[in-house]
Amino acid sequence: MSSSEAFPASGVPPRAGGTNVADRLFKGTTLLFALSVVAIMVLMAGAMLRTALPAIRAFGWHFPFTSTWDPVAERFGALPFIYGTLVSSLLALSIAVPLSLGGAIFLVELAPHWLAQPIAFLIDLLASIPSVVYGLWGIFVLAPWLRTTVQPALGALLGVLPLFQGPAYGVGMLAAGMILAIMVIPFISGVSREVLMAVPNSQREAALALGATKWEAIRTAVLPYSRSGIIGAIILGLGRALGETMAVTMVIGNRPEIALSLFAPGYTMASVIANEFAEATSDFHLAALIEIGLLLFGVTILVNGLARLLVWSVAGNGAATVRE
Amino acid sequence: MLTGLAVEKLGACFGQKQVLNGISMTIGPNLVTAIIGPSGCGKSTLIRCLNRLHETVPGARQSGRVLLDGQDISQMDPVQVRRTIGMVFQKPNPFPSMSIYDNVAAGLRLNGVRKRHRLDEYVEKSLRMGALWEEVADRLDKPGISLSGGQQQRLCIARAIAIEPKVLLMDEPCSALDPVSTGKIEELIQELKKALTIVIVTHNMQQAARVSDYTGFLLLGELIEFDETPKLFTNPRDKRTEDYITGRFG
Amino acid sequence: MTFDRYRRRKRVNVLVSALAFLCAAITIIPLLMILGHLLAQGAKAVNLDFFTQLPKPVGEVGGGMANAIVGTLILIGLACLVGLPIGIIGGIYLAEFGNNKTGWLVRFMSDVLNGTPSIVIGIFAYTVVVLPMKRFSALAGGFALGIIMIPTVIRATEELVKLVPTSVREAGLALGIPQWRVILRIVVPSAKAGIVTGVLLAVARIGGETAPLLFTAFGNQFWQRRLDQPIASLPVQIFTYAISPFEDWHRQAWAGALVLVAMILITSVLTRVVTKGQDRSMR
Ligand SMILES: Nc1ncnc2c1ncn2[C@@H]1O[C@H](COP(=O)(O)OP(=O)(O)OP(=O)(O)O)[C@@H](O)[C@H]1O
Ligand SMILES: [Mg+2]
């Protein structure tokens, strides 16, 4: 049916170049659409740079290192937000990395299939729950629990450390770190699982045949083989954590101050944009917010680029063959 | 002490698929036993049952017994079994993140050898036994995967014998190698035979005839014939063996 | 050789295995808790009004999120108009012609875009749609969501089109059919189900996006009549209600969350089931 339709088109004589005109047109069109992805990225950087320009001009290098944020006086410094973003993300990673790696090792290396399958499914489900729902749960379940149970206990136990001092609000850096941890676990765990599964069985068997226990085979054969991929997975998780917005905005307390205690409220780059952008008081305020967005953009590009290179080098994909 | 294996009514399946059926044979100490047979007949599965690697495959099951010096290996600790029965695989599989030295030392370290001079001693001895020492002595810290295929396979042999197993299983150790490397490994087998019991799977009948004392012919998961090598190759009892060794099928 | 360490080695093995199991178990606890709360709180709060009524003014009890549900669907539709052509046609390029530097660049950019925070993409939509139009609008929101969709769709299309065996392509070419027709008429249709799966996954992802909508689609307490006007959406409505001080709005936030999660989970679970079936038939 379709071949009879197609037949006349094949009557087009091939050109001297050896390709059919229609074929070249088709290839050109698809190329155009593919390149629009590149165009979007360039445009994104350009458009943000242009709108942020007033702020960049006014504050220069001081912007990321100043801690005043005063829209009324039009004095802007991003330090508290950068600090909040970094601390909450690192806190999240320190919780999420051991859990997701341990979980991935269990699922890929140790668990029987019938158990690994449903658990992996549930972890993947975690990834599809929207950020705002995590935030809702954070406000009404996690934060109260932290306030009434966890923070008093931590304060009593480790109160000598400045990290665990001060009043228990519930909302704050600790809540943000925990919610972020829950949210990045599916990513780190998912990519790690892929990387572990990419380790050839012959490596495991080589170790087992030497009389290694299961754990020793993992330690001597599997983990070294997948090291760079796992580091990539962690960095990918970091990228997620840095840019995560809604859930953090809802539980971090939104106060642009730098406090050592994890109990204290904080603010992140993404949340200040979420909270102030729609109601920015002036173009200058907007420019400052966009500059924060630009910083966030730059950092995530770096982080993701790095992670991608690492994961590609192990798990391999379409692009890996091109790079050789 | 000399160590032999006895296989009694061994059967093995992957899921519902039966790949070995009622295999019984005796693998004599300090002898080389070859297993031959057409592709897919279950040779790898058979020797993977001997060091309990078969059971690590999801869905794999087995029946019957394998006795190591009279002791049922399914009653023993699998780690101890594999510590005693080493294995060399079809494709060389050195640990890519480790140097030549560390590859050979890997099994020793697992077994608690920590002192540098002891490790040095064992590594050199194993590499010499693996007929690789001369070629790599000056670059022990280079990655194991920087070696050629034949050298990698001898590295894997050295790694396996470093922990002084009593039995060595070899699954088509030469299938990926050129004739020169193959010759080296065959010589090596003759050397190793003095210290170990060897079971070698091979596709190559000349190789079986050259290196082994006993040969078993496996077809569709059944052991058709098991006999002294010269006898099996010159005067087989079974028609199917004869067909196979004269190249009439398989 | 020493065997005295062996008992310790075995104990370490058991210990580490137990720890790894514990990690996996802890990981799914939050999921179970969140789903549990959603069901408990949400089921109490959901009623018919929720699906049919507009939000009530501040202080009045009752009302629903009908406009936000419809708004989310409209935004997803607009997003598809932006995201699907670029994603699918771009993916075809990558699969068929992308084995070169350009292909590498596009893949890399699409991965970076995938990792770009959605709020940054919101800013981008603000600068190129909201600023010129001088108002928040459904169009701006759809644009932002559409860009977020692209990486998922492009990757799914590329992978699935690549899965079509070369023999199929060659069979078409050998009949004298030009390459472009072979691709459009034979190759892409064989990968259709897989591409649909990728699109559904992308829709499931953008359906819950909140941050980029805050200052593009903004929000609306009423029915929206025009696409160049602000539009309500379920996630933004949930956010607004969750951080409000009113008891009844909290109740509705839970109801909204339950409905949103149900929509997303049903989509992604369905996708999985469909993909599984295909995987099997392909082997
Ligand atoms: N992991 C597995 N799952 C299912 N079936 C398997 C698996 N491994 C092997 N088989 C099947 O078991 C049978 C025996 O396989 P085995 O690898 O033992 O054969 P072989 O004699 O070693 O073949 P070759 O000479 O090709 O290495 C084959 O039919 C094979 O398809
Ligand atoms: Mg084999």
Side-chain angles (χ1 to χ4, degrees):
Chain A
M1 9 128 249
S2 72
S3 64
S4 66
E5 267 175 65
F7 197 67
S10 66
V12 179
R15 304 222 338 174
T19 38
N20 187 296
V21 184
D23 276 354
R24 281 203 277 168
L25 206 66
F26 176 73
K27 186 175 172 184
T29 315
T30 57
L31 174 66
L32 219 63
F33 277 86
L35 281 180
S36 65
V37 177
V38 182
I40 286 170
M41 295 307 283
V42 174
L43 208 65
M44 183 144 40
M48 285 171 67
L49 206 58
R50 213 193 39 183
T51 25
L53 214 54
I56 298 175
R57 282 230 187 81
F59 305 114
W61 284 111
H62 297 297
F63 187 71
F65 303 107
T66 328
S67 51
T68 335
W69 185 264
D70 187 351
V72 181
E74 302 215 320
R75 288 178 18 87
F76 299 105
L79 191 59
F81 311 111
I82 296 174
Y83 175 83
T85 298
L86 286 183
V87 172
S88 60
S89 300
L90 293 182
L91 183 60
L93 282 193
S94 62
I95 302 171
V97 166
L99 285 177
S100 11
L101 284 190
I105 289 175
F106 177 74
L107 294 179
V108 177
E109 304 290 333
L110 302 169
H113 198 67
W114 60 265
L115 183 62
Q117 194 87 344
I119 296 185
F121 176 75
L122 286 178
I123 294 179
D124 287 347
L125 271 196
L126 265 174
S128 58
I129 294 181
S131 175
V132 69
V133 175
Y134 280 105
L136 186 67
W137 181 77
I139 293 183
F140 294 111
V141 182
L142 180 68
W145 179 62
L146 288 179
R147 188 178 59 235
T148 56
T149 315
V150 178
Q151 290 178 341
L154 273 178
L157 212 64
L158 301 163
V160 283
L161 298 173
L163 281 182
F164 303 105
Q165 285 169 356
Y169 296 108
V171 295
M173 203 60 98
L174 184 63
M178 285 181 70
I179 236 14
L180 272 179
I182 297 174
M183 296 180 72
V184 297
I185 279 175
F187 284 96
I188 303 183
S189 161
V191 181
S192 305
R193 262 183 283 147
E194 253 170 57
V195 169
L196 290 180
M197 283 193 280
V199 176
N201 240 333
S202 64
Q203 289 290 318
R204 295 184 183 91
E205 294 187 343
L208 289 179
L210 289 176
T213 62
K214 267 206 160 164
W215 161 241
E216 286 164 345
I218 295 168
R219 199 182 41 136
T220 45
V222 177
L223 291 182
Y225 193 97
S226 49
R227 189 178 47 210
S228 60
I230 287 177
I231 295 174
I234 294 171
I235 302 180
L236 218 54
L238 176 64
R240 288 278 156 182
L242 292 173
E244 184 44 59
T245 312
M246 297 319 295
V248 176
T249 307
M250 291 162 87
V251 299
I252 201 171
N254 297 328
R255 194 193 288 165
E257 277 166 19
I258 296 179
L260 204 51
S261 172
L262 295 181
F263 294 177
Y267 222 149
T268 68
M269 298 160 84
S271 12
V272 72
I273 300 172
N275 279 328
E276 298 189 359
F277 204 96
E279 284 130 31
T281 47
S282 65
D283 283 353
F284 198 60
H285 185 188
L286 205 63
L289 287 169
I290 295 180
E291 188 176 354
I292 291 185
L294 206 55
L295 286 176
L296 191 58
F297 187 39
V299 172
T300 48
I301 288 180
L302 278 184
V303 165
N304 280 295
L306 190 64
R308 278 297 159 192
L309 291 178
L310 284 168
V311 175
W312 272 352
S313 68
V314 184
N317 65 10
T321 49
V322 179
R323 283 189 306 133
E324 282 165 8
Chain B
M1 201 189 82
L2 306 179
T3 304
L5 285 169
V7 178
E8 291 178 357
K9 300 211 189 73
L10 183 70
C13 326
F14 290 104
Q16 296 305 312
K17 186 169 155 205
Q18 182 94 23
V19 292
L20 286 182
N21 212 341
I23 308 265
S24 296
M25 64 201 278
T26 309
I27 293 163
N30 286 56
L31 294 174
V32 177
T33 303
I35 312 280
I36 59 169
S39 191
C41 67
K43 303 182 296 291
S44 299
T45 311
L46 172 58
I47 68 164
R48 289 165 59 90
C49 286
L50 302 186
N51 70 345
R52 296 187 59 181
L53 265 187
H54 178 63
E55 68 193 33
T56 64
V57 177
R61 283 176 298 128
Q62 80 184 66
S63 59
R65 299 199 300 169
V66 176
L67 305 176
L68 176 70
D69 284 337
Q71 218 186 337
D72 186 349
I73 62 168
S74 67
Q75 304 302 316
M76 297 166 65
D77 185 325
V79 171
Q80 297 292 13
V81 171
R82 296 180 198 130
R83 165 75 188 68
T84 319
I85 306 180
M87 183 159 185
V88 177
F89 296 81
Q90 182 162 353
K91 262 177 58 194
N93 54 358
F95 298 124
S97 59
M98 295 186 192
S99 66
I100 295 171
Y101 183 98
D102 289 337
N103 260 289
V104 181
L108 297 162
R109 290 206 169 107
L110 287 176
N111 282 291
V113 183
R114 284 286 143 79
K115 292 217 180 67
R116 186 72 194 190
H117 67 96
R118 291 255 292 156
L119 281 173
D120 287 348
E121 204 176 291
Y122 274 112
V123 167
E124 177 174 346
K125 189 173 137 216
S126 316
L127 282 171
R128 279 191 196 282
M129 272 175 79
L132 191 60
W133 177 254
E134 270 79 37
E135 290 158 66
V136 301
D138 55 343
R139 46 176 176 145
L140 288 175
D141 55 344
K142 294 270 155 19
I145 43 171
S146 67
L147 298 172
S148 76
Q151 290 173 323
Q152 284 188 23
Q153 192 61 302
R154 278 177 281 147
L155 177 65
C156 291
I157 295 177
R159 181 177 66 186
I161 58 185
I163 52 171
E164 299 178 341
K166 301 206 168 106
V167 181
L168 186 63
L169 309 174
M170 306 176 101
D171 187 359
E172 300 190 41
C174 306
S175 69
L177 305 184
D178 61 286
V180 176
S181 310
T182 303
K184 282 200 173 143
I185 289 178
E186 286 182 10
E187 278 170 35
L188 183 60
I189 290 172
Q190 295 307 323
E191 265 318 294
L192 291 174
K193 190 177 138 176
K194 295 175 190 155
L196 315 157
T197 303
I198 294 178
V199 184
I200 178 169
V201 166
T202 174
H203 247 112
N204 179 331
M205 278 171 285
Q206 284 75 36
Q207 182 170 58
R210 279 194 302 267
V211 302
S212 70
D213 304 299
Y214 277 81
T215 299
F217 171 55
L218 209 58
L219 183 64
L220 294 173
E222 304 210 17
L223 187 64
I224 304 298
E225 192 162 348
F226 182 68
D227 216 329
E228 287 175 27
T229 301
K231 190 145 171 273
L232 186 128
F233 277 101
T234 52
N235 190 12
R237 264 177 289 140
D238 197 290
K239 178 83 170 58
R240 288 166 291 181
T241 317
E242 190 180 334
D243 287 348
Y244 182 69
I245 60 178
T246 52
R248 247 167 272 164
F249 76 83
Chain C
M1 214 154 300
T2 48
F3 285 97
D4 45 338
R5 284 173 74 254
Y6 184 58
R7 288 197 32 206
R8 225 195 89 208
R9 286 171 57 197
K10 255 172 54 174
R11 242 179 284 139
V12 170
N13 188 45
V14 171
L15 195 75
V16 175
S17 307
L19 270 179
F21 168 74
L22 212 63
C23 289
I26 293 175
T27 328
I28 56 174
I29 289 176
L31 175 77
L32 300 180
M33 283 178 70
I34 290 171
L35 289 184
H37 267 98
L38 258 185
L39 283 177
Q41 304 282 346
K44 263 192 299 182
V46 163
N47 52 27
L48 189 64
D49 278 359
F50 181 84
F51 295 100
T52 57
Q53 302 284 306
L54 285 178
K56 283 267 166 36
V58 176
E60 285 180 43
V61 172
M65 295 194 186
N67 61 336
I69 296 175
V70 174
T72 284
L73 295 179
I74 291 176
L75 284 169
I76 289 177
L78 289 172
C80 286
L81 289 182
V82 177
L84 294 195
I86 298 182
I88 294 179
I89 303 179
I92 291 176
Y93 173 82
L94 288 182
E96 296 289 334
F97 314 109
N99 215 345
N100 52 21
K101 286 228 177 71
T102 316
W104 187 87
L105 180 70
V106 172
R107 266 182 217 106
F108 187 79
M109 284 298 179
S110 138
D111 272 351
V112 172
L113 180 57
N114 195 27
T116 302
S118 57
I119 192 149
V120 170
I121 295 172
I123 297 181
F124 173 53
Y126 180 89
T127 54
V128 297
V129 185
V130 176
L131 279 185
M133 286 174 63
K134 298 200 171 55
R135 60 162 94 89
F136 301 119
S137 67
L139 290 176
F143 178 77
L145 295 185
I147 290 183
I148 297 174
M149 280 180 89
I150 292 174
T152 315
V153 178
I154 219 172
R155 164 111 323 166
T157 308
E158 180 191 356
E159 278 176 9
L160 271 299
V161 170
K162 267 191 180 156
L163 274 187
V164 178
T166 327
S167 57
V168 171
R169 289 185 183 79
E170 288 174 348
L173 291 175
L175 287 175
I177 307 172
Q179 191 184 18
W180 69 276
R181 291 210 133 199
V182 172
I183 293 172
L184 285 188
R185 283 295 171 85
I186 302 173
V187 176
V188 173
S190 337
K192 197 170 66 193
I195 297 175
V196 171
T197 313
V199 171
L200 285 179
L201 275 183
V203 166
R205 177 173 169 195
I206 60 166
E209 279 293 350
T210 317
L213 296 181
L214 292 173
F215 39 82
T216 52
F218 198 63
N220 194 332
Q221 293 297 92
F222 305 99
W223 289 105
Q224 46 288 317
R225 307 236 174 276
R226 293 168 43 175
L227 294 181
D228 61 351
Q229 296 291 334
I231 190 170
S233 63
L234 211 39
V236 172
Q237 199 78 355
I238 295 169
F239 173 62
T240 321
Y241 278 21
I243 60 170
S244 77
F246 310 113
E247 196 69 32
D248 192 56
W249 280 15
H250 295 167
R251 174 188 71 80
Q252 293 209 30
W254 281 106
L258 179 65
V259 172
L260 182 63
V261 169
M263 280 162 52
I264 289 173
L265 287 193
I266 289 171
T267 313
S268 58
V269 169
L270 268 186
T271 321
R272 263 161 184 279
V273 174
V274 173
T275 327
K276 275 250 176 82
Q278 260 167 23
D279 272 3
R280 235 174 267 133
S281 65
M282 266 183 172
R283 286 196 185 118

